[in-house]
Amino acid sequence: MLKAILADDEDIVRNAMVRWIPWKELGLKLVGTAADGEEALSMITAEQPDIVITDIRMPKLDGLDLIKRTKNKLKNTRFIILSGFGEFEYAQKAMSYGVKHYMLKPALKEDLIQTLKEVIAEIEGERNALLNSIAVNGERYGFFLQRSMLMEVLLDSSSIPEIIERSNRITPFDADETLTMLTVQALEPSRFVPQLLSVIGKEGIRVPIYPVSIGGKVYFVLDISALSVLENMKEAIEERGGVLVGVNRGKPAEIVSYFVKENSNVAAVSIYDEDGNEEKIRILPSFRSADDEIVTRYRAVLSGASDPSLMDDAEAILRSKDLDEAEALFIRMAIKSKDYEILFKELGNVRTMEELIDLARAFAEHKMPGSREAFPVDIVRRYIAENFSNPDISLKWISENVVYMNPEYLSRLFQKEMGQRFTDYLNTTRVDEARKLMSAYHQSTVGEIAEKVGYSNPGYFFHIFRRYTGMTPGEYMDKVRKSHGE
């Protein structure tokens, strides 16, 4: 279930929305309401919501500052802006922060619910696209994600809530759902796990977390709610020579915490993929303190600090270890990166020490790795969404300054991935945004709208708008005004 926060300094408005928005029906959990911007920011930091509905004008911290500060920490949180008539400049500024949904106050119940449905669809669409990307780029990515998370939580148990929360978008479980962990004693885990996974598959039981074994104990985290299914699993375990020694139910963070509590000082763990293939990983508890300094320095650089000698020192330390050890250390160094999804996806493709060093350097220099085909296009789309109002935006500039890739190759890749040219995608985005502005601020002139969406030449905007909508901007504005009874 997605989490939402509502911020508005008007008690009547805030309480009304709490009552008449069907939160559960929409698949939303309202985790907090705030009467000012500072209170909202505190809630957002604590709850890390998927959606925030906020007034643009609030005491202590206005909506724009709230968005800006949130985006610096939680780039995936979506905002729905509520603005008063005549606050066009505020809406435009919000757009520069990547906000795409804004409504005039007082917002109609039906309109706000529809907007929420659109935002929810966008979030779910992105998650589905990411899962499809994972499938396209190989099953090893999802496996490596859990492998990396496993190393991190066993090295630092305090990181469990943060890791579960931040990785929720790229894992096949929801942070709020209840899962069941079965602890099984087995003489030969490497033989037992594939056999039981076969039974689990035939039963149609979901396995949101890959099985893990330590010594003679195997941990299966499954989506089981019915007692009858649990009884079937117990019989299947016993038939294959295992003994069910523990059943724990809880949210993912609770399950992981219990697992770590039982295995806080282990040096080696085996993790099994969906076919039961085993991979042994070393946890190396000595890393908890030995490399703290480089971890602290690297994280500071990720947050914007300057440290000219960092990468020389980091490279020397990484090269002093074998690849598994170096990967474990790098995960500690970079786990707080804003580009969490890309971090794990890139780690899943690392095969040599040189590739790991290159990845560490790219993140330290705040350069998004562009070596995997799926990500440059994602980066371009995100850049357009956040900067479409810039009239000088171009594929050449983005390729050379954002994704660091040959412009011609990026152009071909973009068309292949999106099914349309970069220019068409940019124009479509701008026209869509123009239509939203016309609907919300229908008293504005065509020239004002054109400038707000990145067209310095109103004549060119006229031409583009008609090409993509079949109407001139004036005709569209007249249609909007009529719909408002003007």
Side-chain angles (χ1 to χ4, degrees):
M1 182 172 285
L2 301 180
K3 296 193 292 186
I5 283 176
L6 173 61
D8 196 301
D9 62 327
E10 297 182 62
D11 292 344
I12 295 176
V13 174
R14 189 175 64 255
N15 294 333
M17 287 192 286
V18 169
R19 288 195 306 272
W20 52 249
I21 293 177
W23 303 99
K24 290 185 179 180
E25 183 181 321
L26 292 171
L28 293 173
K29 180 181 179 181
L30 183 63
V31 295
T33 63
D36 61 66
E38 286 187 357
E39 185 182 9
L41 182 61
S42 178
M43 286 182 182
I44 290 170
T45 302
E47 296 290 345
Q48 299 190 7
D50 300 282
I51 301 172
V52 176
I53 305 171
T54 181
D55 190 2
I56 202 74
R57 301 291 294 272
M58 292 187 294
K60 297 185 180 180
L61 188 72
D62 68 21
L64 293 180
D65 286 333
L66 175 64
I67 295 166
K68 184 177 180 180
R69 295 193 188 186
T70 300
K71 288 294 184 180
N72 287 335
K73 299 178 180 179
L74 305 170
K75 64 185 178 68
N76 294 315
T77 296
R78 305 298 181 97
F79 281 85
I80 298 175
I81 295 293
L82 303 176
S83 65
F85 189 79
E87 296 174 347
F88 185 86
E89 294 300 324
Y90 283 92
Q92 170 61 18
K93 188 66 175 178
M95 289 163 55
S96 72
Y97 296 147
V99 177
K100 297 191 293 182
H101 299 276
Y102 39 86
M103 308 181 66
L104 284 175
K105 295 180 70 175
L108 297 177
K109 172 182 176 181
E110 295 77 11
D111 291 343
L112 183 52
I113 292 174
Q114 180 58 38
T115 299
L116 280 168
K117 289 179 178 179
E118 292 174 5
V119 175
I120 292 167
E122 289 175 7
I123 294 172
E124 292 177 344
E126 283 193 3
R127 290 185 177 181
N128 291 334
L130 183 58
L131 291 175
N132 290 336
S133 177
I134 291 171
V136 169
N137 285 277
E139 295 174 350
R140 295 295 296 172
Y141 166 62
F143 181 77
F144 193 89
L145 167 62
Q146 185 180 318
R147 179 181 182 274
S148 302
M149 292 170 63
L150 182 63
M151 282 192 284
E152 174 66 10
V153 297
L154 285 172
L155 286 166
D156 179 11
S157 60
S158 66
S159 65
I160 292 173
E162 179 184 2
I163 288 177
I164 294 294
E165 189 69 41
R166 296 188 69 195
S167 65
N168 190 35
R169 292 185 67 249
I170 49 177
T171 51
F173 56 78
D174 190 292
D176 290 324
E177 73 175 298
T178 299
L179 300 173
T180 300
M181 181 170 72
L182 307 182
T183 304
V184 179
Q185 193 75 40
L187 290 176
E188 296 183 75
S190 59
R191 287 190 177 184
F192 178 82
V193 172
Q195 293 176 12
L196 196 64
L197 282 176
S198 177
V199 175
I200 291 170
K202 290 176 182 177
E203 290 282 340
I205 300 171
R206 188 166 65 98
V207 187
I209 299 178
Y210 290 101
V212 173
S213 72
I214 298 175
K217 284 187 178 180
V218 186
Y219 300 85
F220 294 88
V221 179
L222 308 172
D223 186 6
I224 294 178
S225 55
L227 289 176
S228 59
V229 177
L230 184 58
E231 284 299 318
N232 292 343
M233 287 303 304
K234 183 177 179 181
E235 291 179 10
I237 289 168
E238 292 174 350
E239 288 173 1
R240 285 153 184 81
V243 179
L244 181 62
V245 296
V247 178
N248 294 85
R249 282 179 58 77
K251 295 179 181 180
E254 296 168 338
I255 293 290
V256 174
S257 295
Y258 178 84
F259 170 80
V260 171
K261 185 177 180 180
E262 276 207 340
N263 304 285
S264 57
N265 294 308
V266 298
V269 175
S270 287
I271 182 171
Y272 302 83
D273 65 17
E274 61 273 9
D275 297 319
N277 299 311
E278 179 184 13
E279 181 173 333
K280 294 182 179 180
I281 57 175
R282 287 185 291 170
I283 303 302
L284 301 168
S286 60
F287 278 7
R288 289 187 175 92
S289 58
D291 299 308
D292 283 351
E293 181 183 353
I294 200 67
V295 169
T296 300
R297 288 173 60 191
Y298 193 90
R299 289 180 176 179
V301 167
L302 290 182
S303 299
S306 176
D307 189 345
S309 63
L310 169 71
M311 273 316 299
D312 290 339
D313 295 341
E315 182 173 349
I317 292 174
L318 290 171
R319 289 190 184 279
S320 69
K321 309 176 185 300
D322 66 29
L323 186 58
D324 281 347
E325 294 171 345
E327 284 180 350
L329 175 57
F330 178 63
I331 290 167
R332 287 189 63 207
M333 292 161 57
I335 200 72
K336 295 183 182 296
S337 168
K338 294 178 183 178
D339 301 303
Y340 193 77
E341 299 97 326
I342 295 180
L343 165 65
F344 276 121
K345 189 157 192 174
E346 291 295 320
L347 270 172
N349 290 286
V350 166
R351 296 291 180 269
T352 68
M353 181 64 73
E354 295 302 322
E355 290 176 342
L356 182 64
I357 298 296
D358 287 344
L359 183 61
R361 189 177 299 278
F363 272 82
E365 294 175 354
H366 304 282
K367 294 180 178 179
M368 307 291 283
S371 58
R372 316 300 174 207
E373 284 199 347
F375 278 99
V377 174
D378 293 342
I379 295 166
V380 172
R381 292 174 59 199
R382 183 169 65 185
Y383 188 84
I384 290 174
E386 296 175 354
N387 298 277
F388 63 84
S389 59
N390 178 3
D392 298 321
I393 189 173
S394 70
L395 181 65
K396 184 176 186 298
W397 192 91
I398 293 174
S399 65
E400 294 175 350
N401 296 275
V402 180
V403 296
Y404 310 98
M405 182 178 286
N406 179 277
E408 294 180 0
Y409 176 73
L410 180 59
S411 177
R412 292 195 301 270
L413 182 61
F414 190 92
Q415 186 161 356
K416 176 184 176 183
E417 293 279 335
M418 299 303 300
Q420 62 182 149
R421 297 178 305 162
F422 168 86
T423 303
D424 288 329
Y425 184 88
L426 175 60
N427 282 330
T428 299
T429 300
R430 285 172 165 169
V431 168
D432 286 345
E433 295 298 328
R435 292 167 67 182
K436 292 177 185 178
L437 288 174
M438 290 175 181
S439 297
Y441 300 95
H442 44 277
Q443 296 297 328
S444 301
T445 67
V446 171
E448 289 174 334
I449 297 291
E451 184 177 352
K452 299 303 181 185
V453 297
Y455 293 107
S456 55
N457 184 336
Y460 183 64
F461 171 66
F462 180 97
H463 170 73
I464 292 296
F465 192 92
R466 184 167 59 180
R467 180 200 296 178
Y468 286 90
T469 66
M471 305 172 66
T472 67
E475 290 170 342
Y476 189 86
M477 293 282 273
D478 288 342
K479 181 180 177 182
V480 169
R481 292 187 183 107
K482 289 179 180 178
S483 69
H484 284 79
E486 299 176 6

